[in-house]
């Protein structure tokens, strides 16, 4: 009756505030807490992890309006994470309903994942910095993975409040030294038992053999060569020990200008064209030195621009494309749409959500990156031109665009091992400054720019539009994004291979010091059990068929299109007016006037692009060939799983893409079962049934944000807005729906 009464008030008036008043005295709560602590879950420490401070009788709030409900427990801070230990975690620890991370618990926040810390003083929310004169009665933590935690400190002892709040602020905001990262403590503590996944086929590109293998795979070894001139990092600390340059280029030229001004190979197309990148030469005020630079560049370009046999198109990303400031500003606005404190804030922003989304410009930036990648693809594929990407250090937008082009053009990069190898080659060995761009050391907020997150957003658009083309799922991309802030993996915690290698030596008083063996994020067994890892692999991935000799390569297979029907958007004709863009500027300062002749005019570029784009989308999709995204306005969407997964009100109970996926998996399981029965006729022994993903067998129990949010974990009902909305149904219908949800959750 109480549930019906609350729901029935949703017609046009606000639901009444709870009238219950607690008469339990604070000291009685402390007394009860002593009993609770005996039932609390033990704090699990990783090897090398140390407890720094803790506070008891902390209330972890449920994010609801006019509600002070929550779970009492202990809040702790270690040199690795902030963790809340509640007394009912055992009830939530259900293997069947949890996509569990073995390293990070549901109520754990790594110190690197903390974005902002707020305190509530007399019901006013204020950001917390440095030394505090007054301590808050409530602590709010916004995380970089967009979780929001509310901790009540009203009944916590004053000394414990000071200790835990000061400790959290200090260890998440004060600048650190690289050697003080938990990464090194963990590596030292696990030095003798560090294991690697035997199924991991990721190419690390830390040997000359790896680069030669990649050259051979892409048929780039005809025009390009792998060099070891920087093996001891004598030439440049930015570049990897091994990389690839054009074959005619003398190794002596690589040594000039510390490797700057050198065209470095990224990938070769099937027609022999390649995508290259180059960092800018240092700016010289002296005219004589400037003339030497121009002469050097002229010589370099003669090796890669030899018309009519070989031509180059230059893309100056520093002046003609996005700036890092654009990306930083857009994401700062964009993420605020998902850092929701309570239901009231959700519904208040929901009415103007699309205007707020548009004003952030994040989706527009995603679209511009995809469009630029298509333009580069058109040059490689249709015009048979090499493309040279220019950037100050060739380690941000160069990494993003070269990687996107390879995902679109190379089906190998759409497998999990191939995608991980791509990240290793273009981002890790390519010198992307993860340490600075993720601000792991808290030394400069200005340097913190989510370039890699932007890349994952762009890849997600492709995965969302062409699911059968990818061996991995959006869940894989989501946990990869989360792994940026887990400091037991070395993958995303250095600015360059040189920085990693120089810091791998362990300082000790022993006569012999072993180099540290750092974990790589690609060993997914460290974070997930095999059952959970099944959700990282796409069961609808269409593997490349083995063609008979007499079968033409252009033959289409019906099942490829049929599999894509439930998940792929229908192809709409591109809007003619969409492809207007501001006029391109010619490259002036970096490469001299000579190179500007290599750049096509803006009108010609747009015409070629439009024709290429429309022609591809008018044909059936071959999932093992070139793959282009739709970039019209409504086709670029918000990555719901990553950005909305922690907001209960945003869930579709028992629906969404996960329900579609579940039904398809059930059908596939039935087909496999029938195939086994057929096989039994030809074998004497009975075949064992294939194990299906149990986590997806019952879509009715799941929410659209599975596996990060589950229906039975939903403790409260979504709050219906009281104004600005039409009634969704009468009182009885809503009550029946709620009863159905409750019944499903108890199954």
């Amino acid at each position: 009756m109480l549930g019906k009464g609350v729901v029935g008030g949703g017609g046009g008036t606000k639901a009444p505030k709870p009238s219950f008043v607690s008469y339990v005295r604070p000291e009685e709560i402390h007394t009860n807490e002593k009993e609770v602590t005996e039932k609390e879950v033990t704090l699990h420490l990783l090897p090398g992890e140390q407890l720094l401070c803790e506070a008891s009788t902390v209330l972890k709030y449920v994010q609801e309006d006019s509600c002070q409900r929550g779970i009492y427990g202990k809040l702790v801070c270690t040199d690795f994470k902030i963790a809340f230990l509640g007394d009912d975690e055992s009830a939530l620890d259900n293997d069947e309903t949890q996509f569990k991370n073995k390293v990070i618990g549901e109520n754990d926040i790594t110190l690197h994942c903390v974005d902002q810390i707020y305190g509530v003083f007399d019901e006013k929310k204020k950001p917390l910095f440095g030394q505090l004169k007054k301590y808050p009665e409530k602590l709010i933590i916004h995380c970089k993975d967009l979780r929001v935690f509310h901790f009540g400190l009203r009944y916590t002892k004053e000394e414990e409040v000071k200790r835990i709040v000061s400790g959290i602020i200090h260890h998440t905001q004060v600048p650190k030294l690289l050697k003080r990262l938990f990464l090194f403590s963990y590596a030292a503590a696990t030095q003798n038992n560090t294991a690697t996944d035997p199924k991991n086929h990721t190419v690390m590109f830390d040997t000359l053999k790896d680069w030669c293998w990649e050259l051979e795979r892409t048929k780039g070894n005809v025009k390009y060569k792998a060099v070891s001139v920087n093996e001891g990092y004598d030439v440049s600390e930015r570049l990897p020990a091994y990389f690839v340059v054009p074959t005619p280029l003398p190794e002596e030229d690589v040594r000039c200008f510390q490797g700057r001004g050198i065209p470095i190979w990224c990938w070769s197309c099937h027609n022999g064209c390649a995508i290259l990148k180059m960092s800018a030469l240092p700016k010289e005020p002296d005219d004589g030195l400037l003339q030497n630079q121009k002469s050097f560049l002229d010589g370099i370009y003669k090796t890669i621009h030899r018309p009519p046999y070989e031509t180059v198109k230059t893309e100056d990303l520093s002046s003609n494309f996005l700036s890092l400031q654009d990306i930083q500003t857009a994401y700062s606005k964009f993420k605020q749409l998902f850092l929701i404190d309570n239901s009231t804030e959700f519904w208040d922003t929901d009415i103007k959500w699309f205007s707020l989304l548009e004003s952030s410009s994040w989706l527009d930036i995603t679209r511009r990156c995809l469009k630029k990648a298509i333009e580069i693809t058109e040059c490689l594929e249709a015009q048979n031109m090499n493309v040279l990407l220019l950037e100050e250090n060739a380690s941000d937008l160069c990494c993003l665009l070269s990687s996107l082009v390879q995902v679109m053009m190379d089906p190998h990069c759409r497998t999990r091992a191939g995608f991980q190898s791509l990240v290793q080659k273009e981002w890790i060995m390519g010198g992307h400054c993860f340490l600075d761009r993720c601000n792991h050391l808290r030394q400069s907020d200005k340097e913190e720019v989510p370039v890699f997150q932007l890349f994952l957003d762009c890849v997600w658009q492709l995965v969302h539009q062409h699911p059968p083309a990818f061996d991995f799922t959006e869940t894989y991309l989501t946990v990869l994004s989360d792994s940026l802030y887990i400091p037991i993996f070395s993958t995303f915690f250095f600015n360059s291979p040189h920085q990693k290698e120089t810091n791998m030596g362990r300082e000790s008083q022993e006569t012999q010091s072993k180099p540290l063996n750092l974990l790589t994020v690609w060993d997914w067994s460290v974070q997930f059990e095999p059952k959970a890892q099944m959700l990282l692999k796409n069961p609808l991935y269409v593997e490349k068929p083995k063609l008979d000799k007499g079968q033409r390569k252009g033959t289409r297979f019906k099942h490829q299109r049929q599999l894509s029907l439930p998940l792929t958007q229908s192809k709409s004709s591109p809007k003619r007016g969409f492809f207007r863009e501001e006029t391109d500027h010619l490259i002036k300062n970096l490469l001299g006037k000579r190179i500007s002749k290599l750049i096509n005019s803006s009108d010609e570029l747009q015409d070629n692009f439009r024709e290429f784009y429309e022609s591809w989308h008018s044909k059936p999709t071959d999932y093992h060939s070139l793959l282009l995204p739709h970039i019209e306005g409504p086709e670029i969407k918000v990555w719901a799983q990553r950005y909305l997964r922690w907001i209960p009100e945003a869930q579709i109970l028992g629906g969404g893409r996960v329900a579609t996926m579940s039904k398809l998996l059930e059908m596939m399981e039935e087909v496999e079962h029938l195939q086994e029965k057929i096989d039994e006729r030809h074998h004497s022994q009975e075949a064992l049934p294939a194990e299906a993903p149990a986590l997806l067998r019952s879509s009715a129990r799941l929410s659209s944000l599975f596996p990060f949010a589950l229906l039975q974990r939903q403790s409260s009902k979504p709050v219906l807005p009281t104004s600005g909305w039409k009634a969704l149904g009468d009182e009885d219908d809503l009550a029946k729906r709620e009863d159905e949800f409750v019944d499903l959750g108890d199954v």
Side-chain angles (χ1 to χ4, degrees):
M1 291 297 295
L2 182 60
K4 281 191 176 183
V6 173
V7 174
T13 59
K14 292 186 178 180
K17 292 185 177 181
S19 57
F20 176 76
V21 178
S22 173
Y23 294 96
V24 182
R25 297 188 302 275
E27 57 268 22
E28 293 181 33
I29 293 178
H30 281 286
T31 304
N32 293 337
E33 176 61 19
K34 293 178 181 178
E35 300 174 3
V36 171
T37 52
E38 297 177 0
K39 298 185 290 183
E40 281 182 353
V41 179
T42 305
L43 174 63
H44 297 288
L45 297 176
L46 293 176
E49 184 178 4
Q50 296 181 350
L51 177 65
L52 301 176
C53 52
E54 60 183 304
S56 302
T57 328
V58 175
L59 180 64
K60 179 179 176 288
Y61 286 100
V62 175
Q63 290 173 294
E64 292 184 18
D65 293 321
S66 305
C67 175
Q68 298 299 311
R69 294 192 298 111
I71 305 167
Y72 273 105
K74 183 183 293 185
L75 185 63
V76 302
C77 180
T78 73
D79 56 350
F80 169 63
K81 65 177 180 285
I82 301 165
F84 177 80
L85 308 176
D87 64 333
D88 72 336
E89 289 195 12
S90 58
L92 300 176
D93 192 11
N94 190 324
D95 288 337
E96 184 182 357
T97 59
Q98 280 222 12
F99 177 63
K100 294 199 303 182
N101 189 308
K102 297 193 292 184
V103 178
I104 304 297
E106 180 186 10
N107 291 321
D108 294 347
I109 314 166
T110 65
L111 300 181
H112 297 280
C113 192
V114 174
D115 191 12
Q116 293 289 337
I117 302 175
Y118 299 92
V120 176
F121 303 86
D122 299 326
E123 299 186 357
K124 292 182 179 180
K125 177 180 166 184
K126 299 179 181 178
L128 301 181
F129 301 101
Q131 295 290 333
L132 301 180
K133 296 181 179 179
K134 182 181 179 182
Y135 289 86
E137 58 194 39
K138 187 176 182 181
L139 191 67
I140 302 175
I141 300 178
H142 287 186
C143 305
K144 293 183 179 181
D145 62 4
L146 305 179
R147 289 180 296 169
V148 178
F149 288 88
H150 295 246
F151 298 110
L153 307 172
R154 182 172 296 178
Y155 301 121
T156 308
K157 293 179 181 178
E158 185 178 352
E159 286 302 316
E160 292 185 0
V161 171
K162 292 181 180 180
R163 203 157 43 236
I164 193 68
V165 173
S166 299
I168 289 175
I169 292 174
H170 176 79
H171 292 288
T172 59
Q173 293 183 357
V174 174
K176 300 179 179 65
L177 297 174
L178 178 59
K179 276 288 190 177
R180 301 288 293 178
L181 292 180
F182 178 74
L183 173 71
F184 297 101
S185 301
Y186 182 82
T190 58
Q191 184 66 8
N192 297 324
N193 58 356
T194 301
T196 56
D197 185 359
K199 298 180 182 179
N200 184 6
H201 302 296
T202 304
V203 181
M204 304 304 289
F205 291 98
D206 53 359
T207 65
L208 191 64
K209 182 180 178 181
D210 289 346
W211 288 98
C212 292
W213 176 87
E214 180 71 357
L215 275 174
E216 185 176 352
R217 186 187 71 82
T218 61
K219 305 296 187 294
N221 50 359
V222 177
K223 300 179 181 179
Y224 300 91
K225 62 182 179 181
V227 295
S228 57
V229 65
N230 196 39
E231 196 164 22
Y233 299 102
D234 298 327
V235 174
S236 173
E237 295 181 357
R238 295 181 307 100
L239 297 174
Y242 313 99
F243 51 92
V244 176
V245 296
T247 300
L249 188 70
E251 290 193 6
E252 293 76 19
D253 288 351
V254 179
R255 297 181 181 276
C256 300
F257 303 107
Q258 297 182 329
R260 291 182 176 273
I262 297 298
I264 295 178
W265 176 87
C266 298
W267 179 77
S268 286
C269 184
H270 61 85
N271 59 13
C273 296
I275 183 169
L276 308 159
K277 62 182 179 181
M278 178 189 288
S279 56
L281 290 174
K283 295 180 180 180
E284 294 290 350
D286 184 80
D287 291 339
L289 295 176
L290 188 61
Q291 188 61 40
N292 289 338
Q293 288 186 356
K294 289 183 178 180
S295 300
F296 175 76
L297 288 174
D298 281 343
I300 292 295
Y301 270 86
K302 287 178 182 178
T303 65
I304 59 176
H305 181 66
R306 295 173 295 173
Y309 308 105
E310 202 165 12
T311 57
V312 176
K313 180 183 183 302
T314 307
E315 288 282 357
D316 187 359
L317 304 178
S318 297
S319 60
N320 295 333
F321 194 49
L322 297 167
S323 69
L324 295 181
Q325 181 64 46
D326 293 336
I327 299 172
Q328 183 187 57
T329 302
Y331 189 73
S332 296
K333 294 178 180 179
F334 179 70
K335 70 181 180 181
Q336 294 304 319
L337 298 175
F338 311 100
L339 293 168
I340 304 297
D341 283 341
N342 51 54
S343 296
T344 297
E345 184 179 345
F346 174 84
W347 291 113
D348 286 346
T349 56
D350 188 69
I351 297 175
K352 51 185 177 180
W353 197 78
F354 283 107
S355 61
L356 293 173
L357 178 63
E358 184 179 5
S359 65
S360 73
S361 300
W362 181 253
L363 293 186
D364 184 58
I365 284 177
T366 303
R367 178 184 296 104
R368 290 181 63 184
C369 290
L370 290 169
K371 185 173 183 290
K372 179 61 72 174
I374 297 173
E375 290 176 2
I376 296 170
T377 300
E378 188 269 335
C379 289
L380 295 167
E381 180 78 14
Q383 298 187 36
N384 293 328
M385 296 177 66
N386 294 329
V387 177
L388 179 64
L389 304 177
L390 303 172
E391 194 181 12
E392 183 66 28
N393 292 312
S395 59
D396 287 303
L397 297 175
C398 279
C399 300
L400 188 152
L401 289 174
S402 63
S403 299
L404 270 183
V405 169
Q406 291 175 63
V407 171
M408 291 180 186
M409 299 190 71
D410 190 346
H412 173 69
C413 297
R414 301 196 284 267
T415 65
R416 196 163 85 178
F419 184 78
Q420 293 174 175
S421 301
L422 172 67
V423 174
Q424 277 292 140
K425 180 181 69 170
E426 297 298 332
W427 294 84
I428 310 304
M429 293 300 160
H432 181 65
C433 300
F434 281 101
L435 194 67
D436 294 340
R437 294 292 177 252
C438 297
N439 201 16
H440 287 316
L441 299 182
R442 307 285 180 176
Q443 292 183 350
S444 175
D445 292 339
K446 294 181 180 179
E447 295 292 324
E448 184 174 1
V449 185
V451 183
F452 187 70
Q453 180 59 49
L454 177 58
F455 166 66
L456 295 182
D457 264 66
C458 292
V459 173
W460 179 85
Q461 302 292 336
L462 285 160
V463 171
H464 177 75
Q465 294 181 22
H466 306 286
F470 290 86
D471 182 35
F472 49 85
T473 62
E474 67 170 340
T475 302
Y476 167 84
L477 294 175
T478 302
V479 296
L480 179 58
S481 173
D482 293 342
S483 300
L484 285 169
Y485 309 107
I486 304 180
I488 66 171
F489 306 111
S490 63
T491 310
F492 303 125
F493 276 82
F494 293 101
N495 283 337
S496 65
H498 170 263
Q499 187 184 50
K500 177 181 177 180
E501 289 192 21
T502 54
N503 284 279
M504 281 177 64
R506 182 175 60 185
E507 298 178 6
S508 71
Q509 297 179 354
E510 300 173 359
T511 55
Q512 292 183 348
S513 179
K514 294 181 180 179
L516 293 176
N517 188 12
L518 303 176
L519 279 179
T520 171
V521 74
W522 311 127
D523 186 358
W524 294 106
S525 63
V526 176
Q527 294 192 65
F528 302 104
E529 297 292 349
K531 186 177 180 181
Q533 289 185 56
M534 294 175 70
L535 294 174
L536 308 182
K537 183 174 178 61
N538 182 13
L540 302 181
Y541 173 60
V542 179
E543 296 187 21
K544 188 173 184 179
K546 296 180 180 179
L547 301 178
D548 296 332
K549 291 183 179 180
Q551 194 174 15
R552 292 185 300 115
K553 291 185 178 180
T555 304
R556 301 295 300 139
F557 294 87
K558 290 184 178 179
H559 73 279
Q560 294 182 5
R561 299 300 292 173
Q562 290 169 349
L563 279 178
S564 68
L565 285 178
L567 298 177
T568 304
Q569 301 289 333
S570 60
K571 292 186 177 181
S572 56
S573 60
K575 299 178 180 178
R576 292 280 177 178
F578 175 75
F579 297 104
R580 296 177 182 172
E581 195 178 73
E582 53 277 352
T583 306
D584 287 339
H585 298 286
L586 299 180
I587 299 174
K588 296 178 181 179
N589 300 326
L590 182 62
L591 301 171
K593 296 179 181 179
R594 181 185 186 92
I595 308 306
S596 66
K597 299 177 183 179
L598 306 177
I599 304 176
N600 295 329
S601 67
S602 177
D603 292 338
E604 182 183 350
L605 178 65
Q606 290 304 303
D607 290 340
N608 292 337
F609 170 71
R610 185 187 301 112
E611 181 181 355
F612 177 73
Y613 178 86
E614 293 180 356
S615 173
W616 187 89
H617 280 291
S618 66
K619 300 174 183 177
T621 304
D622 181 358
Y623 295 121
H624 295 282
S625 183
L626 177 64
L627 197 70
L628 298 184
H630 285 285
I631 57 174
E632 297 82 24
E635 298 293 345
I636 303 299
K637 302 180 184 299
V638 173
W639 182 0
Q641 187 191 68
R642 182 183 189 272
Y643 295 115
L644 294 171
R645 55 184 160 154
W646 312 121
I647 305 177
E649 293 81 5
Q651 299 182 59
I652 304 172
L653 304 179
R657 289 172 62 87
V658 69
T660 305
M661 179 71 75
S662 177
K663 293 300 180 184
L664 286 170
L665 289 177
E666 288 176 11
M667 292 175 62
M668 292 175 64
E669 185 180 0
E670 289 180 16
V671 171
E672 289 179 2
H673 184 65
L674 290 172
Q675 184 64 50
E676 288 165 3
K677 285 189 175 182
I678 294 173
D679 294 340
E680 287 176 12
R681 294 175 181 267
H682 307 286
H683 298 83
S684 57
Q685 60 181 9
E686 185 175 342
L688 295 174
E691 183 178 353
L695 288 172
L696 282 176
R697 280 182 178 167
S698 177
S699 61
R701 302 184 62 185
L702 308 176
S703 84
S704 59
L705 305 182
F706 177 86
F708 299 97
L710 300 170
L711 175 58
Q712 67 179 57
R713 301 284 292 280
Q714 177 74 11
S715 61
S716 61
K717 310 299 183 294
V719 178
L720 298 179
T722 58
S723 62
W725 298 85
K726 293 182 179 180
L728 300 179
D730 59 25
E731 178 178 335
D732 293 334
D733 288 340
L734 288 172
K736 287 179 182 177
R737 291 180 203 171
E738 280 217 306
D739 291 339
E740 289 174 5
F741 292 150
V742 172
D743 292 339
L744 285 171
D746 294 333
V747 173

